[in-house]
């Protein structure tokens, strides 16, 4: 939507975005787009028009994110001084449910809170992150993870080059995860996926806190935000997905 794009300080038009997708479709069979729920000026009608346009394009994957306002961004300052405002009279959770159902009806299966794909087109890249698989990043600001330790390279191009020329590794940050951090990550990343997390695998990490953790899971199941299947995998219900941060905080608090 051109008006929404202008308010979001995007330089492209809606037609530009469509043209980019169509041009890319001439070279690639696997295309993904990102959409944001809750932008200033947006309402249910505009969002529905956007989603309808999206599924009409030759794409195989859609990511749909709730708006996050980051500190010191143009939108952050506009909200602070009152020159911009977020939609306040819309139940965005209900809008999210409608988006999930609309995409399902048009062949995009949900496999993560924000991600939807046509059959066989789930993101292999992102699924590796969500499963906490090891990965190696190369270049400025790139992150790596070996299963326990996370490193991030120098994010300044000049500093990165200087370090490399000295024959040193350009690692700017290194962190060995604590038990609590690992538990939090496993719960958070597991619950983001519609396949959920395995309680059997998680129990091996919990030690003496197993009983309290299970009790909290039972409370959330009673509230209708968690469910457990016959294989012992726990996942968020549709109603629980917009509440993932609160669910994780409750489970790991």
């Amino acid at each position: 939507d051109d008006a929404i794009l202008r308010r979001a300080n995007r330089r492209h038009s809606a037609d530009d975005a469509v043209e980019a997708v169509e041009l890319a479709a001439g070279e690639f069979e696997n295309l993904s787009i990102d959409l944001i729920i809750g932008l200033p000026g947006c309402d249910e009608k505009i969002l529905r028009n956007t989603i309808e346009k999206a599924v009409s394009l030759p794409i195989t994957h859609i990511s749909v994110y709730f708006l996050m306002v980051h500190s010191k961004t143009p939108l952050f300052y506009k909200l602070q001084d009152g020159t911009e405002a977020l939609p306040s009279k819309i139940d965005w959770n209900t809008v999210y449910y409608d988006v999930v159902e609309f995409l399902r009806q048009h062949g995009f299966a949900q496999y993560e809170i924000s991600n939807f794909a046509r059959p066989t087109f789930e993101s292999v890249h992102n699924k590796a992150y969500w499963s906490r698989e090891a990965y190696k990043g190369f270049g400025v600001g790139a992150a790596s993870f070996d299963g326990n330790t996370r490193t991030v390279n120098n994010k300044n191009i000049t500093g990165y080059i200087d370090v490399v020329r000295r024959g040193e590794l350009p690692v700017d940050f290194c962190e060995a995860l604590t038990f609590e951090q690992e538990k939090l990550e496993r719960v958070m990343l597991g619950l983001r996926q519609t396949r959920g997390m395995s309680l059997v695998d998680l129990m091996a990490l919990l030690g003496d806190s197993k009983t309290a953790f299970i009790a909290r899971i039972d409370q959330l199941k009673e509230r209708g935000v968690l469910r457990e299947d016959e294989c012992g995998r726990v996942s968020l219900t549709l109603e629980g997905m917009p509440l993932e941060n609160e669910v994780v905080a409750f489970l790991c608090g």
Side-chain angles (χ1 to χ4, degrees):
D1 184 272
D2 286 338
I4 302 299
L5 288 168
R6 285 193 296 271
R7 292 178 71 164
N9 289 320
R10 297 299 175 97
R11 296 180 180 180
H12 67 278
S13 69
D15 286 343
D16 291 336
V18 171
E19 182 182 8
V21 170
E22 292 174 341
L23 286 171
E27 304 295 334
F28 305 99
E29 67 171 358
N30 185 2
L31 299 178
S32 178
I33 64 170
D34 289 1
L35 301 175
I36 300 176
I37 292 178
L39 285 165
C42 191
D43 57 25
E44 295 100 322
K45 182 178 179 181
I46 291 173
L47 183 62
R48 172 52 71 101
N49 289 341
T50 299
I51 295 289
E52 289 178 350
K53 184 62 179 178
V55 299
S56 74
L57 296 172
I59 56 175
T60 54
H61 190 283
I62 299 179
S63 297
V64 183
Y65 300 106
F66 283 102
L67 174 67
M68 292 182 63
V69 180
H70 294 281
S71 179
K72 298 181 180 179
T73 59
L75 179 56
F76 172 83
Y77 291 119
K78 286 182 179 181
L79 293 173
Q80 274 200 326
D81 64 23
T83 56
E84 192 59 273
L86 298 177
S88 59
K89 297 182 179 180
I90 300 174
D91 182 351
W92 289 111
N93 285 354
T94 300
V95 170
Y96 171 80
Y97 306 149
D98 292 342
V99 167
V100 172
E101 177 59 19
F102 182 84
L103 290 176
R104 185 192 67 78
Q105 291 175 2
H106 288 79
F108 288 86
Q110 183 179 29
Y111 68 102
E112 194 264 355
I113 288 176
S114 301
N115 287 271
F116 307 80
R118 295 195 184 279
T120 74
F121 284 100
E122 296 180 357
S123 172
V124 176
H125 179 89
N126 287 346
K127 286 171 71 176
Y129 288 148
W130 300 327
S131 299
R132 300 184 78 253
E133 295 179 13
Y135 54 87
K136 189 70 176 177
F138 299 91
V140 178
S144 300
F145 180 61
D146 64 7
N148 181 63
T149 302
R150 184 170 287 111
T151 60
V152 180
N153 286 348
N154 193 314
K155 297 181 180 180
N156 179 278
I157 183 65
T158 303
Y160 181 95
I161 291 172
D162 289 343
V163 172
V164 171
R165 282 178 172 169
R166 293 200 301 267
E168 302 172 10
L169 291 175
V171 174
D172 193 46
F173 171 82
C174 181
E175 173 186 49
L177 299 183
T178 65
F179 165 76
E180 288 300 324
Q181 287 174 314
E182 182 179 354
K183 180 179 75 171
L184 179 65
E185 277 195 7
R186 286 183 180 275
V187 173
M188 177 186 67
L189 295 173
L191 288 181
R192 287 200 67 85
Q193 303 174 76
T194 54
R195 65 191 291 268
M197 62 181 182
S198 168
L199 277 183
V200 174
D201 293 343
L202 194 58
M203 288 300 104
L205 282 175
L206 294 177
D208 295 336
S209 62
K210 287 188 182 73
T211 302
F213 191 85
I214 293 298
R216 291 178 180 180
I217 284 180
D218 288 340
Q219 290 180 51
L220 293 171
K221 285 161 61 178
E222 290 176 6
R223 288 175 52 191
V225 297
L226 279 185
R227 60 175 168 239
E228 182 177 354
D229 66 17
E230 63 277 4
C231 298
R233 298 195 70 88
V234 174
S235 59
L236 292 166
T237 63
L238 179 60
E239 292 73 19
M241 286 184 176
L243 305 173
E244 194 232 7
N245 289 341
E246 291 85 348
V247 169
V248 172
F250 178 71
L251 288 174
C252 297

